[in-house]
Amino acid sequence: MSGPPAPEADDAVACEAVVPAPPQEVFRWFVRPELLVRWIGIDAQLEPWPGGRFRFEIADGQWCSGRYLEVVPGRRVVVTWGWESGAIPVPPGSSTVTVELSEHPGGTLVHLVHRDLAPELRPLHTEGWSRFLPRLAAVVAGRDPGEDTARDGRPPSLRP
């Protein structure tokens, strides 16, 4: 189950999904490179401690990077976020993604909030998170998440 963006601060987008596993298990999918790339990206370099590197390649040559700000096993992950190539005008570390994990009858409620985005970039990031959180739920459940449409290097809203 995933939901539309929840109301948040004016500079934020938020998305939610229920992932069929306990919070401690879901947490691992945000801090272990070999798990992260099963639902978002093709390569990852993660140092999951405050100040550690958060960097992954979403498509060939398109790297997202920042730093871990908070890492609370089974409960919370906060990273800074941005795009190295400049194709999406959010410089590395200039925005913040907060992931809250809470127990839910279906497993874990993943509540993700992406802050510090310019108004024109919020729809793009809402589209991305609304696509990737269901992929997370699918792989954790042992299902094929389907083709990752971001792997061609351009999100659907930026394609001609």
Side-chain angles (χ1 to χ4, degrees):
M1 173 176 113
S2 64
E8 291 292 337
D10 288 343
D11 71 340
V13 297
C15 293
E16 292 184 337
V18 175
V19 178
Q24 197 67 28
E25 170 65 18
V26 175
F27 171 82
R28 295 173 54 233
W29 292 80
F30 287 91
V31 298
R32 292 187 46 191
E34 72 277 12
L35 296 178
L36 184 85
V37 299
R38 291 186 52 204
W39 64 279
I40 185 172
I42 56 177
D43 189 16
Q45 302 162 0
L46 308 179
E47 299 170 339
W49 55 79
R53 177 172 39 177
F54 175 82
R55 185 173 189 251
F56 73 95
E57 188 177 19
I58 196 163
D60 193 32
Q62 295 293 319
W63 289 88
C64 174
S65 65
R67 296 281 173 191
Y68 283 92
L69 299 178
E70 286 184 59
V71 180
V72 182
R75 296 188 49 218
R76 182 176 167 94
V77 176
V78 181
V79 297
T80 61
W81 178 281
W83 300 94
E84 293 179 8
S85 72
I88 298 172
V90 179
S94 67
S95 66
T96 305
V97 176
T98 300
V99 178
E100 298 279 352
L101 307 173
S102 57
E103 290 187 23
H104 184 277
T108 299
L109 176 64
V110 176
H111 180 73
L112 182 145
V113 179
H114 195 157
R115 289 186 171 80
D116 308 316
L117 293 167
E120 64 275 12
L121 296 172
R122 289 180 210 137
L124 173 68
H125 287 83
T126 297
E127 172 188 69
W129 290 121
S130 295
R131 192 173 65 250
F132 283 114
L133 289 184
R135 289 178 58 79
L136 170 64
V139 297
V140 171
R143 296 189 317 268
D144 180 351
E147 182 182 349
D148 179 356
T149 58
R151 287 200 176 183
D152 78 355
R154 299 182 78 192
S157 64
L158 293 182
R159 292 185 194 138

